[in-house]
Structures are given as structure tokens and as C-alpha cells.
Amino acid sequence: MKNNQPKFETTTLWDFPTQNYGDRPHGDNKFSGVTPAFVIWNLLQRYTNEGDLVVDPMCGSGTTIDVAKELNRRVIGYDIAPHRDDIIQNDARKIPLKDNSVDFVFIDSPYSDNIKYSDHPKDIGKISCEKEEFFNELEKVAKEIYRILKPGKVMAWLIGDHWRKKSGFIPVGFKIYQRLLKYFDTIDIICVVRRHQTSNTPIWHKRAKEFNFYLRGFKYLFIMRKTDVSI
Ligand SMILES: C[S@@+](CC[C@H](N)C(=O)[O-])C[C@H]1O[C@@H](n2cnc3c(N)ncnc32)[C@H](O)[C@@H]1O
């Protein structure tokens, strides 16, 4: 790490040993489901300029806000259950911003019902990825992101797959990607190494061997552009 800043990633495999970089917090690394700050840092380096408006519709512990502010971007963070005063309470399926008004969107959505974010009934993280409803609700978010983005601008969506004892493998990433393709063109797909997983313990590695399944090792980062303005 140079000057307290993360490495500028030049390949499609992104790995970083810690959630945070530098000497100030970016989001809260105790928040279950926090985004690695270097992911947002790398995206803002490539797809935004100083003064651009960055939006995160599911802002969680505020990682996007902290990284964006430090890089002199304007930023709005929403969440259904805000964890800080600078996060606006809002359902990501209806974002209170004008059409074609935003320069960049980052989103790290729930991946299923595996993490309890809040008691809010509209928390999409209460719906299992085993149900098609989960993807239908996230598609509503994708449509909103499409609406608020300026033509030609970029959004990035971080998401991981699931394995359930009952249902087996659920390709959450591919299923979301199929929905995103209805609206956006793909710039690239990044593989982000998952670290600090609660399942990274000897007992889980033993189970993976015993029951012949794989523990999740990566997440997808779909980087996509709004090119078509017909919707
Ligand atoms: C993976 S976390 C986001 C983590 C965040 N990027 C961070 O670094 O802390 C997913 C977030 O989605 C929020 N969420 C779930 N359903 C939502 C909805 N309908 N509208 C807005 N936010 C929602 C949850 O409250 C949770 O904070």
C-alpha cells in the first residue's frame, strides 16, 4: 500500500487482505456484510472524477460515503435501515432522484437471507435466493439504478453465490447478471476474493470435505454501462 492508498487493480482478480485501508475507517468493519473499501476506491478511480455524484442505494455501514468523500466526490447513501446519520432511509426499489442525474452507482446488495441486516419488513435480505421473488425484487433496484444514471455512465454490483444443504448450489451471481443484461452493457466482470468469512474455520473446511461441497471463495463484481436510453 502506497501513501495509505490501496493498489490500483489492473487485472480481473482483486484481492486485498483487509476490509479497510489507510488510517481512517471506511464503513464499519464490524458490520456484517461490509464491503471491502478498496473495491469502491478502485471503481471511483476508474469511472469517476472529482465533483461527480456517486450513489449507493444500499449503503449499509457507509463505506461508499467514506471513500467517495475522501476522493472529493459528491455522494448520497441510502439504506432501508440506516446505521448512521448521513445515510438516508429509503427503499432501493424507488430512489428519490431524477432520471439521468447520477454519475456512478455502487451497490453491494444482500445475496440471500443469510445475514440479518434489520427488522425492516422491506429488507430484501429477508428473501431467500432459493425463491425467484429475490431476483424479481433486485431487478426493481436495477431498473431504478438504470433510470437515475446519466447515459454513458457506469454502475458496479457486488454479489456472491450460495450453497444450501437442501437446494445445493444457487448461482446467484449468474442469475442477477441475467437480469442486469436487460438494462446494461458489460464493461467487465471482476472476481473479488472473499476474506474474513465466518465460514473460514476448521469446522467448515471439515464439513466441506465430509459433505463434498465448496465454501465460497469469491464474489462477482459486475461493472456495467448505461448505453441504451430506450427504457
Ligand atoms: C451487503 S449490505 C451493504 C454493505 C455496505 N456496502 C457496507 O459497506 O457497509 C446490504 C444492505 O442492503 C440493505 N437493504 C436491504 N434491503 C433494502 C432495500 N429494500 N432498500 C435499501 N436498502 C436495503 C440492508 O439494510 C444492508 O445494509
Side-chain angles (χ1 to χ4, degrees), residues 33 35 58-61 63 79-80 90-92 108 117 122-124:
T35 306
M58 293 186 162
C59 195
S61 68
T63 312
D79 202 282
I80 200 74
N90 186 66
D91 187 333
D108 181 359
Y117 294 111
K122 290 190 173 162
D123 178 349
I124 295 175

Side-chain angles (χ1 to χ4, degrees), residues 19 26-28 31-37 40 56-64 78-83 88-94 106-111 115 117-118 120 122-126 138 141 158 219:
Q19 184 274 333
H26 301 92
D28 176 359
F31 178 76
S32 207
V34 65
T35 306
I40 300 165
D56 186 335
M58 293 186 162
C59 195
S61 68
T63 312
T64 305
Y78 300 104
D79 202 282
I80 200 74
H83 287 264
I88 301 166
Q89 205 273 329
N90 186 66
D91 187 333
R93 287 164 286 196
K94 197 161 174 26
F106 174 76
I107 183 163
D108 181 359
S109 68
Y111 309 166
I115 295 178
Y117 294 111
S118 69
H120 201 290
K122 290 190 173 162
D123 178 349
I124 295 175
K126 294 199 176 309
L138 285 183
V141 179
L158 189 69
K219 298 179 188 185

Side-chain angles (χ1 to χ4, degrees), residues 155-211:
M155 74 98 181
W157 194 309
L158 189 69
I159 197 148
D161 293 324
H162 261 279
W163 185 88
R164 290 263 160 105
K165 207 169 178 185
K166 214 172 90 197
S167 325
F169 176 64
I170 304 145
V172 179
F174 283 3
K175 292 189 80 166
I176 285 292
Y177 182 59
Q178 273 181 334
R179 304 292 183 113
L180 295 180
L181 281 176
K182 290 191 194 174
Y183 307 92
F184 303 97
D185 289 330
T186 311
I187 293 176
D188 218 320
I189 300 178
I190 307 295
C191 173
V192 179
V193 175
R194 287 177 92 138
R195 292 190 176 266
H196 313 296
Q197 300 292 296
T198 45
S199 59
N200 194 8
T201 57
I203 181 80
W204 273 105
H205 288 286
K206 188 168 165 271
R207 282 182 196 151
K209 213 166 146 184
E210 227 170 76
F211 301 109

